[in-house]
Amino acid sequence: MPILDNEQFEQYLKEFRPLVPETLQIEKQLSRARRRSFAYLAWAAACAAIMLLVFLVWNRPKPTPTASVPQLAGSQPLTIGRANALLARAPSLKEAFDEPSFQPQPASQPEGEQSALAVLSECACIVQSQ
Amino acid sequence: MQATRSDASEIELSYRRYGPALVLFAASLAGEKSRAQDAVHQVFLKLLENGTLRDALDAKAYLFTCVRNAVLNDRRLRQRDVALDPECIWFEPPHRDFAAELNLRRALWELAEDQREVTVLHVWGELTFAQIAEVLSISANTASSRYRYALAKLREALCAKEDCRAHS
């Protein structure tokens, strides 16, 4: 080894580099923390979505009877098919019966169609006569 | 109080930056690298659990102080003298000259502990004498004179070993 002054000797010593130590558990802890925060975030998002859903369901505009019960046009007669459709779509049986009863009756039936009331009254007459 | 994410990142960065010098410093006190590594890990894990490095005026000097305390505490608990583990290398030697590495390690180990500390802190820890004074609770002048003595002894020891190698 040549004789070196202090500065050169220091440089020579610095050529020996300290070994890099083993990985600290910091990285594992950090990734665990990241995973944990992601899980919290997911839970928060799920809770927010549920709350929003509940809020929307709770504040949904209530159906008004006039809007929900299908109206019959003044010119449309009440046929069995339409009565069935009314029953199927009306929110309650009462509303289904109420609505057509306040509708103006058509003046005449189109050809080939019969009024449900007429059919029912015919049936009633037949039953009475028997 | 657990370190926040930014604190943890800062601590992680400090480990990457100063880890090699800290482990070397701990090994120069403990003799064994595994014990040195444990001491350094212990310090960093405590930092992660308890808080932050931001409060320290000089984070680098603070880390070296913490590591020194951890090694000395461990040594006190074991209540026995430490010996140099010849199998465990401390340095990555230039040109893969592992004989020179062993010579340097032995020469360092033969120094008085206070001189060895100053040498490691100044050469490989890159601490100024003022910082070393803070770590070791001595004056900067004392640190500087210890370093001069240590450097002279190291050079002598290494030259003698080099001569031996050249003649053998």
Side-chain angles (χ1 to χ4, degrees), chain B residues 31 49 58 95 98 114 126 128 146 155 167:
Chain B
E49 277 171 21
D58 184 341
H95 318 299
F98 289 100
D114 51 0
E126 293 177 337
T128 62
R146 279 183 194 173
R155 191 174 10 207
H167 288 117

Side-chain angles (χ1 to χ4, degrees), chain B residues 66-86:
Chain B
C66 291
V67 167
R68 182 172 186 263
N69 290 341
V71 174
L72 295 183
N73 283 341
D74 179 61
R75 230 159 65 172
R76 209 172 298 137
L77 282 176
R78 288 171 199 276
Q79 289 184 329
R80 65 178 177 84
D81 289 336
V82 290
L84 176 68
D85 180 3

Side-chain angles (χ1 to χ4, degrees), chain A residues 7-74:
Chain A
E7 208 170 306
Q8 284 174 321
F9 185 60
E10 241 184 58
Q11 285 309 313
Y12 168 73
L13 290 178
K14 279 182 181 170
E15 283 177 21
F16 292 82
R17 295 190 180 281
L19 292 179
V20 177
E22 283 170 23
T23 313
L24 185 60
Q25 301 304 313
I26 292 175
E27 278 170 20
K28 279 185 188 171
Q29 288 203 2
L30 275 179
S31 65
R32 211 178 298 149
R34 273 180 209 135
R35 270 206 306 275
R36 209 181 304 142
S37 62
F38 177 76
Y40 285 143
L41 209 67
W43 272 108
C47 288
I50 289 168
M51 283 169 71
L52 186 70
L53 203 67
V54 167
F55 177 79
L56 287 176
V57 167
W58 195 261
N59 290 311
R60 192 176 57 174
K62 297 229 164 86
T64 54
T66 48
S68 62
V69 180
Q71 297 284 319
L72 288 170

Side-chain angles (χ1 to χ4, degrees), chain A residues 1 4-6 9-10 13-24 26-27 29-30 34 37, chain B residues 5 8 12 15-16 19-20 23 33 37 41 44 48 89-92 104 123-124 147 151 155 162:
Chain A
M1 185 181 184
L4 306 167
D5 64 22
N6 274 0
F9 185 60
E10 241 184 58
L13 290 178
K14 279 182 181 170
E15 283 177 21
F16 292 82
R17 295 190 180 281
L19 292 179
V20 177
E22 283 170 23
T23 313
L24 185 60
I26 292 175
E27 278 170 20
Q29 288 203 2
L30 275 179
R34 273 180 209 135
S37 62
Chain B
R5 187 182 289 187
E12 187 189 4
Y15 181 78
R16 288 198 184 151
V23 171
K33 199 155 167 251
Q37 187 113 37
H41 278 192
F44 275 89
L48 275 177
I89 65 167
W90 291 356
F91 301 99
E92 197 179 303
L104 173 59
V123 177
W124 292 284
Y147 178 70
L151 216 57
R155 191 174 10 207
E162 279 292 316

Side-chain angles (χ1 to χ4, degrees), chain B residues 4-159:
Chain B
T4 62
R5 187 182 289 187
S6 68
D7 290 335
S9 300
E10 190 191 347
I11 293 167
E12 187 189 4
L13 195 71
S14 299
Y15 181 78
R16 288 198 184 151
R17 190 180 293 166
Y18 308 128
L22 286 167
V23 171
L24 172 68
F25 178 55
S28 75
L29 293 171
E32 291 173 43
K33 199 155 167 251
S34 59
R35 206 154 284 160
Q37 187 113 37
D38 284 351
V40 174
H41 278 192
Q42 190 189 321
V43 165
F44 275 89
L45 291 177
K46 237 179 217 170
L47 274 175
L48 275 177
E49 277 171 21
N50 300 334
T52 168
L53 272 173
R54 277 186 207 150
D55 297 337
L57 287 176
D58 184 341
K60 191 177 175 185
Y62 176 69
L63 285 172
F64 277 96
T65 309
C66 291
V67 167
R68 182 172 186 263
N69 290 341
V71 174
L72 295 183
N73 283 341
D74 179 61
R75 230 159 65 172
R76 209 172 298 137
L77 282 176
R78 288 171 199 276
Q79 289 184 329
R80 65 178 177 84
D81 289 336
V82 290
L84 176 68
D85 180 3
E87 298 300 317
C88 228
I89 65 167
W90 291 356
F91 301 99
E92 197 179 303
H95 318 299
R96 303 184 60 80
D97 187 353
F98 289 100
E101 194 274 340
L102 182 61
N103 285 342
L104 173 59
R105 202 160 14 113
R106 282 192 178 144
L108 272 172
W109 195 250
E110 281 161 14
L111 291 176
E113 188 173 284
D114 51 0
Q115 292 177 359
R116 196 188 320 142
E117 280 182 312
V118 173
T119 310
V120 171
L121 288 173
H122 189 63
V123 177
W124 292 284
E126 293 177 337
L127 263 65
T128 62
F129 288 121
Q131 286 175 311
I132 294 171
E134 193 187 322
V135 173
L136 303 180
S137 305
I138 56 174
S139 72
N141 280 339
T142 309
S144 169
S145 68
R146 279 183 194 173
Y147 178 70
R148 276 200 310 275
Y149 281 119
L151 216 57
K153 280 187 193 170
L154 263 184
R155 191 174 10 207
E156 201 183 307
L158 289 178
C159 286

